[in-house]
Amino acid sequence: MTTREPLRVSVVAKEKEFRLYRASDFHDLPEMRYLVEDIFPEQGLLCVYGSSGVGKSFLCLDLAAAVAEGVDWFGHPTQQGDVVYVALEGQAGLRLRVKAWEAHHGRPFPSGVRFVFEDFFINDLKEPHQLGLKILHGNGSGDYCDPVLVIIDTLNRAAPGSDENSCPDMSGIITGATMLRMTTGAAVLLIHHPGKDAARGLRGHSSLHAALDTVVAVDEDGEVIRWRLVKSKDGENGLSHGFKLKTIEVGVSSSGKPRKSCVVESVEGYVSTKHMSGPRGSHQQVILKAAREALIEHRVNRFNEDFPEASFVGMPFNDLLNLVYEELDEVQKSHRKDRARQALKRLCEMGYLEMEDEYITPTPWSN
């Protein structure tokens, strides 16, 4: 019996350039960007956890609506964008929750929130990858979904059969969540439960807490429910707000009994003096919409699950310009390209698109 020689692969290391910064250079570095100001960062792995029945899913549905509309959440400005809510628990009750939200707010639930009801296994890497691509493709016919947030309700239902106290099993869950984040470019929020001793925080192996960028705890506080920021890698821990679950009637059942659900109602608030606004120029609005669609398609087409980070390489400025400038059809043809070039550069300066070394990538934006 002969022994096969091990396969040897020659790897040529790509030359990487490093730059040394002084403290005086820091003003040139990008500032921390938030999905929800001072609470949830624009990128990363997030978690909201609390005991069963405390209201954490109601809270996250309220968060999803606020982000999709770009309105303040408990007084904290949000960065507007699409949201995907993967509802693995209480799908039947979710319809009532949406109806209750609409009745309470007097308007339709934001169309920027999409829901997924199929079973989803986060620790099977193929599924986060497939779900991520489906999210980016949307339902076809140009119905793109460009998410800034994906919510998994709940971690336990997304990892059936896993031992949350096992380091290898928890590592698989974290890897799956990271794959979903890298595929979509969105922050991923896991809804979870506390351990047997709630004072010790999240249920499961400590590697989960270590991997998370932000953790929000939800628990009862006297007559109200309170969410508390218990971990923030780049912010201030300890922010908290009280809320109640207000009961709303949403019709009657076939037997004539009233159907009810709840909505989140803040009982105290924080008011920010900061204001986020979207691009005001008509040319900028047209070019931003076209650019984001082109960049999403570019990301989808170049995605490689073996090298997911490569998906985040942007599109060269001039290539993107050539794809979008004809959208300015109300501009005289000889001037369209110049107007589009000006709009693209201005959008990069304002932070609605990011440009590094002449490569452009999308960022969330608000109106």
Side-chain angles (χ1 to χ4, degrees):
M1 182 175 180
T2 59
T3 309
R4 180 182 295 180
E5 285 291 321
L7 180 65
R8 291 181 172 83
V9 180
S10 176
V11 178
V12 178
K14 183 179 178 180
E15 187 175 339
K16 185 176 181 179
E17 294 185 3
F18 293 92
R19 179 178 174 183
L20 302 179
Y21 292 89
R22 294 185 173 88
S24 58
D25 299 323
F26 286 0
H27 65 277
D28 294 327
L29 299 178
E31 294 183 359
M32 177 69 182
R33 294 173 64 95
Y34 283 96
L35 184 62
V36 179
E37 185 182 275
D38 297 329
I39 306 171
F40 295 116
E42 183 183 88
Q43 293 286 326
L45 298 182
L46 322 172
C47 183
V48 172
Y49 79 97
S51 302
S52 296
V54 75
K56 56 187 180 294
S57 292
F58 285 102
L59 184 69
C60 289
L61 185 65
D62 189 70
L63 168 66
V67 170
E69 289 190 325
V71 299
D72 288 5
W73 190 66
F74 289 90
H76 297 254
T78 63
Q79 189 75 278
Q80 185 186 26
D82 293 338
V83 179
V84 176
Y85 195 106
V86 183
L88 304 175
E89 285 191 356
Q91 292 96 331
L94 190 60
R95 292 180 61 188
L96 293 180
R97 295 178 184 185
V98 169
K99 286 184 177 180
W101 190 97
E102 293 178 333
H104 179 68
H105 291 278
R107 60 182 183 272
F109 195 81
S111 61
V113 181
R114 272 81 155 188
F115 296 95
V116 175
F117 296 115
E118 288 78 16
D119 290 340
F120 170 62
F121 304 105
I122 198 168
N123 47 353
D124 177 353
L125 285 185
K126 290 182 180 178
E127 295 218 359
H129 171 50
Q130 291 171 352
L131 175 60
L133 293 182
K134 177 61 180 177
I135 287 171
L136 294 179
H137 281 300
N139 291 319
S141 303
D143 180 26
Y144 287 111
C145 180
D146 185 15
V148 295
L149 178 64
V150 178
I151 299 173
I152 308 295
D153 187 3
T154 62
L155 183 151
N156 179 61
R157 289 295 298 272
S162 295
D163 179 359
E164 294 176 357
N165 293 309
S166 159
C167 182
D169 284 12
M170 186 57 75
S171 177
I173 292 170
I174 295 167
T175 301
T178 303
M179 171 66 79
L180 183 59
R181 179 185 65 80
M182 296 176 70
T183 307
T184 60
V188 172
L189 188 153
L190 305 171
I191 300 180
H192 196 32
H193 297 87
K196 292 181 180 179
D197 181 359
R200 298 183 64 180
L202 294 165
R203 187 173 70 194
H205 196 271
S206 60
S207 58
L208 175 61
H209 188 274
L212 294 167
D213 296 280
T214 300
V215 179
V216 168
V218 182
D219 47 36
E220 293 180 349
D221 182 15
E223 297 182 355
V224 302
I225 308 166
R226 181 171 297 279
W227 64 257
R228 295 177 294 109
L229 183 60
V230 297
K231 178 185 178 182
S232 176
K233 280 189 175 179
D234 296 293
E236 179 184 356
N237 294 345
L239 282 175
S240 73
H241 291 273
F243 66 95
K244 290 184 177 181
L245 295 180
K246 181 179 180 180
T247 302
I248 304 289
E249 288 195 12
V250 291
V252 295
S253 67
S254 56
S255 63
K257 292 183 178 180
R259 291 179 181 265
K260 300 178 181 180
S261 189
C262 297
V263 295
V264 169
E265 188 172 64
S266 175
V267 296
E268 58 190 45
Y270 153 95
V271 178
S272 171
T273 58
K274 296 182 181 179
H275 175 68
M276 292 182 170
S277 61
R280 299 302 181 191
S282 59
H283 292 173
Q284 293 170 7
Q285 293 171 2
V286 170
I287 293 301
L288 179 58
K289 182 177 183 296
R292 288 174 69 84
E293 290 178 357
L295 291 168
I296 292 168
E297 185 175 359
H298 176 69
R299 180 190 295 170
V300 171
N301 291 339
R302 66 175 290 116
F303 188 88
N304 183 331
E305 63 178 321
D306 294 324
F307 303 96
E309 289 190 3
S311 310
F312 287 87
V313 175
M315 184 182 293
F317 181 94
N318 287 332
D319 290 359
L320 182 59
L321 175 63
N322 289 332
L323 286 175
V324 303
Y325 78 90
E326 291 289 1
E327 295 296 319
L328 296 180
D329 51 10
E330 84 283 6
V331 176
Q332 187 176 339
K333 193 166 185 178
S334 59
H335 297 310
R336 285 178 193 169
K337 203 163 190 176
D338 284 338
R339 297 291 187 274
R341 182 182 290 107
Q342 293 170 9
L344 270 180
K345 287 184 177 180
R346 183 59 182 149
L347 288 166
C348 291
E349 291 171 359
M350 293 189 296
Y352 296 106
L353 299 171
E354 291 186 354
M355 183 165 66
E356 183 175 353
D357 296 330
E358 291 297 312
Y359 283 83
I360 295 183
T361 54
T363 58
W365 62 292
S366 59
N367 286 320

